[in-house]
């Protein structure tokens, strides 16, 4: 019955309980020798106790090995599970990247096809702006045209608004604002000829529309030039 003390540790997956269970079992077995009832043969009692101690010690050792193997197996299982999760995440990321790349390629194709249908410039711009915003997930899109030798940027009525009511203040302020060379996000792009990104328009010194008292509902901004040859047209 003393073997059950070590077995408890195995069932609880605790090596310390296995060791202490084995020690207690051996101590009780030895103590039982001195507390044995009178009349038993000495050699038989000694042999019995020795065999019992060996059996408890061997069983405890086997329980410890079993417990360690179980821990290693659990570690290997957890490691494999982590690798599977990492690999799954990598595959999802790769799939999402491939899906985005595919959507961008389709976006270019759609705009080219629409352009080749000889639609008016304004209609083409409106279609391109809407498709770009929907594919990239942007909530607001607006087009500026360049007036005369790259001196001013004139707001147009070409918009994409995912929520017209929410962004109405921004739309109103924008349609009243003409940007000069280097002013604001559009003027910055006009000056550099390259796309520009603002992470937080409220922290940017050169974003006049965010300096008003009205909440414009905009946090980030991105702008890129529309080129005709090497000249910026919008």
């Amino acid at each position: 019955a003393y073997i059950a003390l070590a077995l408890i540790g195995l069932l609880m997956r605790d090596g310390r309980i296995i060791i202490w269970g084995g020690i207690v079992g051996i101590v009780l077995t030895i103590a039982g020798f001195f507390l044995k009832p009178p009349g038993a043969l000495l050699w038989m009692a000694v042999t019995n106790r020795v065999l019992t101690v060996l059996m408890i010690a061997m069983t405890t050792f086997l329980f410890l090995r079993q417990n360690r193997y179980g821990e290693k197996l659990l570690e290997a299982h957890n490691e494999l599970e982590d690798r599977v999760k990492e690999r799954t995440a990598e595959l999802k990321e790769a799939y999402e990247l491939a899906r985005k790349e595919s959507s961008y390629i389709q976006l270019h194709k759609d705009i080219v096809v629409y352009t080749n249908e000889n639609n008016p410039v304004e209609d083409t711009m409106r279609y391109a702006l809407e498709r770009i915003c929907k594919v990239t997930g942007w909530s607001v899109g607006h087009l500026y045209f360049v007036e005369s030798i790259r001196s001013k940027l004139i707001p147009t009525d070409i918009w994409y608004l995912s929520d017209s009511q929410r962004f109405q203040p921004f739309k109103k302020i924008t349609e009243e604002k003409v940007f000069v060379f280097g002013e604001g996000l559009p003027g910055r792009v006009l000056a550099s000829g390259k796309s520009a990104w603002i992470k937080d328009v409220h922290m940017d010194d050169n974003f006049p529309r965010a300096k008003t008292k009205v909440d414009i509902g905009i946090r980030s901004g991105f702008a890129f030039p529309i080129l005709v040859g090497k000249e910026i047209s919008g």
Side-chain angles (χ1 to χ4, degrees):
Y2 296 155
I3 295 176
L5 297 174
L7 180 60
I8 292 173
L10 178 63
L11 295 176
M12 296 181 66
R13 295 182 179 179
D14 192 328
R16 292 172 299 178
I17 297 178
I18 293 175
I19 294 173
W20 279 108
I23 292 173
V24 171
I26 291 173
V27 170
L28 291 175
T29 300
I30 295 173
F33 173 78
F34 297 101
L35 299 174
K36 70 183 185 299
L41 296 175
L42 180 61
W43 69 268
M44 187 179 294
V46 171
T47 302
N48 181 43
R49 302 297 169 172
V50 170
L51 291 176
T52 303
V53 168
L54 289 175
M55 182 174 63
I56 294 174
M58 182 60 68
T59 305
T60 302
F61 173 75
L62 293 175
F63 283 174
L64 283 172
R65 293 291 296 272
Q66 177 66 25
N67 187 63
R68 289 174 183 172
Y69 286 143
E71 290 177 348
K72 290 182 179 179
L73 184 61
L74 183 61
E75 290 177 1
H77 174 76
N78 291 337
E79 184 179 352
L80 180 61
E81 200 171 56
D82 291 340
R83 288 182 180 178
V84 170
K85 289 180 180 179
E86 290 176 2
R87 185 57 179 163
T88 302
E90 290 175 358
L91 290 174
K92 287 183 178 179
E93 185 178 351
Y95 170 78
E96 185 63 22
L97 182 60
R99 189 190 64 80
K100 286 184 178 180
E101 291 293 336
S102 177
S103 65
Y104 294 154
I105 293 173
Q106 187 62 45
L107 170 65
H108 293 159
K109 289 181 179 179
D110 292 345
I111 293 176
V112 168
V113 169
Y114 194 90
T115 303
N116 289 336
E117 292 177 352
N118 295 321
N119 294 297
V121 173
E122 288 77 8
D123 290 348
T124 302
M125 291 296 184
R126 185 173 285 105
Y127 173 81
L129 185 64
E130 180 179 351
R131 290 286 288 113
I132 290 171
C133 288
K134 285 184 176 180
V135 169
T136 56
W138 284 84
S139 302
V140 179
H142 182 237
L143 174 68
Y144 275 88
F145 276 132
V146 177
E147 180 191 67
S148 69
I149 317 172
R150 298 179 60 182
S151 59
K152 293 181 180 179
L153 284 165
I154 307 300
T156 67
D157 61 351
I158 298 175
W159 283 89
Y160 170 79
L161 297 172
S162 62
D163 187 337
S164 57
Q165 184 175 358
R166 174 187 173 188
F167 298 110
Q168 187 60 36
F170 179 74
K171 182 174 183 291
K172 184 176 184 299
I173 293 172
T174 298
E175 289 180 341
E176 296 173 352
K177 178 64 177 176
V178 174
F179 285 104
V180 297
F181 194 80
E183 182 187 12
L185 179 59
R188 191 181 312 181
V189 174
L190 180 64
S192 66
K194 299 178 181 179
S195 59
W197 162 272
I198 298 177
K199 290 184 178 181
D200 190 338
V201 297
H202 300 285
M203 301 297 293
D204 193 279
D205 295 332
N206 191 13
F207 198 92
R209 287 171 290 179
K211 307 305 178 184
T212 62
K213 296 181 180 180
V214 180
D215 181 15
I216 60 176
I218 300 295
R219 174 56 60 87
S220 299
F222 175 75
F224 62 91
I226 301 172
L227 302 175
V228 177
K230 294 183 178 181
E231 293 295 324
I232 299 177
S233 62

